[in-house]
Amino acid sequence: MKFSTKVIHGGQHPEEATGSVIPPIFQTSTYAQSSPGVHKGYAYSRSANPTRTALEKALAAIENGTHGFAFASGLAAIDCVLRLLKPGDEVIAGDDLYGGTYRMFTNLFEKYGLHFKYVDMDNIQNVTNAITANTKLIWIETPTNPLMKIADIAKIVTSVKAVDAQILTAVDNTFATPYLQQPLNLGVDIVMHSATKYIGGHSDLVMGALVVNNEELAKEIHFIQFAAGAIAGPMDSFLALRGIKTLDVRMQRHCENGKAVAEFLQNHPKVGVVYYPGFENHPNHLIAKKQMSAFGGMVSFKLKEDTKEATFKFLESLQLFTLAESLGGVESLANHPVTMTHGSIPEADRLKIGITDSLVRLSVGIENIEDLLNDLNKALT
């Protein structure tokens, strides 16, 4: 199936009992058994729930995987991946990460004996040179949050596996979605999503997802999901399934609007640098062009007046772009990373990679583009 068909039909079948075209919300915690241990495939909803099962099959289908897993949040999905490791193991991650991921790595799992290295993945040698006998996981975020850096997924995987084939590779595919790139096709072991964002698409749920195509890895992840219990509920699973069905058409508009906003900002006299992988002068443009089908709806930029005061004034003047956490919904959102999503990262570390007071991250929605550009222009001027 082509992607636009797969988001509607992939892994999905009419519900058996009634023929319902849309999977029902099985709002139940437990299931009747005809004899101890004898049931219809469901015993307790922490282990499995029919609505969540339908979602997990859809997630696997759109990422070209064999097994999907839905969690209570994106961070719960990352937590599951890290539980595959043991004390003393080492993780190599990119130097530009979502603040919540960085916080989990440094403030939680370092206490439990994991070690983390942060490298600039623009240079693949930075990754391979950091590998030691204890390295067990490479964590790739691409495009990165918030600086829109692009990692060459296939080359990183090939280079890492050449050093040690047992090292796991994982990609946070939240910004791209499977509409733009499918990391499993590029050799990655695990794909992660904050399904809160584009997968759900309507800012009405919080959810995470993992997709793999390895049977043994799937068994390990399912055990952790079941034993730790950070599962997605049936109502959120229903909403995410609904969101997946319109992912293709939504992403088309997100990409169109994102490109128009990036070009507008690039030509505005009050804007300094614009971070958008669709520009030919973006340092990773050719990689993005190679591994992504388009360039997405996320755009970051800095004002020429690099002060918190000027940035706050701009953000407070927006009318259609809502100042809020998160991204990927149908509505346009504006974010100030220093005080919002990346506030947990120490200032010295933020400044080192370029997250300054004037950096703004936009999640460009699917509204009329003229209205969005007028809103940005008024707020800037």
Side-chain angles (χ1 to χ4, degrees):
M1 284 184 275
K2 302 297 185 184
F3 188 79
S4 56
T5 304
K6 194 180 289 186
V7 292
I8 297 171
H9 297 286
Q12 301 303 295
H13 305 282
E15 193 267 332
E16 290 185 6
T18 64
S20 173
V21 173
I22 302 300
I25 304 169
F26 286 86
Q27 196 70 46
T28 183
S29 60
T30 192
Y31 307 81
Q33 301 187 20
S34 58
S35 182
V38 180
H39 50 73
K40 299 178 181 180
Y42 296 92
Y44 187 58
S45 277
R46 173 161 45 81
S47 174
N49 173 284
T51 314
R52 192 172 87 234
T53 298
L55 170 62
E56 291 174 337
K57 288 180 177 179
L59 290 167
I62 62 176
E63 277 288 6
N64 287 341
T66 56
H67 298 80
F69 304 90
F71 295 83
S73 69
L75 286 174
I78 298 172
D79 176 85
C80 178
V81 174
L82 295 179
R83 289 174 188 265
L84 294 168
L85 310 180
K86 64 181 186 302
D89 287 348
E90 186 176 79
V91 179
I92 298 172
D95 60 357
D96 181 31
L97 288 177
Y98 165 54
T101 304
Y102 180 90
R103 180 178 57 235
M104 175 178 283
F105 286 1
T106 58
N107 295 353
L108 281 181
F109 278 90
E110 280 190 354
K111 292 194 303 185
Y112 305 144
L114 296 186
H115 304 288
F116 298 88
K117 293 178 180 177
Y118 303 94
V119 302
D120 181 357
M121 291 191 173
D122 283 359
N123 185 343
I124 294 171
Q125 275 196 320
N126 291 339
V127 180
T128 54
N129 289 344
I131 293 174
T132 69
N134 294 324
T135 303
K136 303 301 179 185
L137 172 67
I138 310 297
W139 186 264
I140 305 166
E141 191 177 290
T142 182
T144 63
N145 181 2
L147 295 176
M148 305 302 296
K149 295 169 71 173
I150 306 294
D152 191 324
I153 298 172
K155 282 190 176 181
I156 290 175
V157 171
T158 301
S159 299
V160 168
K161 297 294 186 178
V163 177
D164 185 346
Q166 299 305 309
I167 296 175
L168 291 172
T169 54
V171 168
D172 182 338
N173 205 29
T174 300
F175 271 26
T177 81
Y179 174 85
L180 297 178
Q181 69 185 14
Q182 295 168 344
L184 292 177
N185 292 352
L186 302 175
V188 166
D189 297 302
I190 304 170
V191 175
M192 173 267 167
H193 287 276
S194 174
T196 308
K197 315 303 193 296
Y198 287 107
I199 298 291
H202 294 78
S203 301
D204 55 7
L205 63 91
V206 175
M207 183 183 291
L210 298 176
V211 182
V212 300
N213 56 15
N214 176 286
E215 185 73 29
E216 289 305 311
L217 188 56
K219 288 179 181 178
E220 289 186 70
I221 289 173
H222 180 259
F223 173 77
I224 296 169
Q225 182 193 42
F226 166 71
I231 55 165
M235 183 64 197
D236 283 350
S237 296
F238 174 84
L239 292 172
L241 266 169
R242 183 192 65 177
I244 286 174
K245 291 184 184 299
T246 61
L247 179 63
D248 182 86
V249 292
R250 285 187 289 108
M251 287 305 298
Q252 290 179 43
R253 178 63 69 86
H254 282 300
C255 291
E256 292 169 4
N257 284 357
K259 180 175 183 289
V261 164
E263 291 173 345
F264 167 81
L265 292 171
Q266 188 180 44
N267 294 315
H268 199 282
K270 290 199 174 183
V271 174
V273 62
V274 179
Y275 301 91
Y276 176 68
F279 289 153
E280 290 185 4
N281 63 354
H282 186 286
N284 311 124
H285 172 70
L286 293 179
I287 299 171
K289 192 174 180 180
K290 177 182 70 171
Q291 71 186 23
M292 298 169 69
S293 60
F295 303 107
M298 299 301 299
V299 181
S300 295
F301 69 97
K302 290 181 180 178
L303 297 174
K304 283 185 178 176
E305 187 179 345
D306 192 6
T307 66
K308 188 175 286 189
E309 292 73 23
T311 308
F312 277 29
K313 185 177 181 181
F314 162 73
L315 291 168
E316 291 164 359
S317 300
L318 292 166
Q319 297 297 314
L320 287 181
F321 280 84
T322 302
L323 179 62
E325 302 271 359
S326 199
L327 58 104
V330 292
E331 68 290 316
S332 294
L333 299 177
N335 173 278
H336 186 241
V338 167
T339 56
M340 297 168 74
T341 51
H342 291 68
S344 60
I345 298 177
E347 182 179 14
D349 293 336
R350 291 198 308 262
L351 293 175
K352 185 178 178 181
I353 61 172
I355 302 177
T356 63
D357 284 342
S358 71
L359 182 68
V360 174
R361 190 195 72 190
L362 300 178
S363 173
V364 184
I366 65 173
E367 303 96 334
N368 180 279
I369 189 58
E370 290 184 17
D371 292 333
L372 294 180
L373 297 184
N374 286 336
D375 189 38
L376 291 169
N377 191 49
K378 288 178 181 177
L380 284 165
T381 57

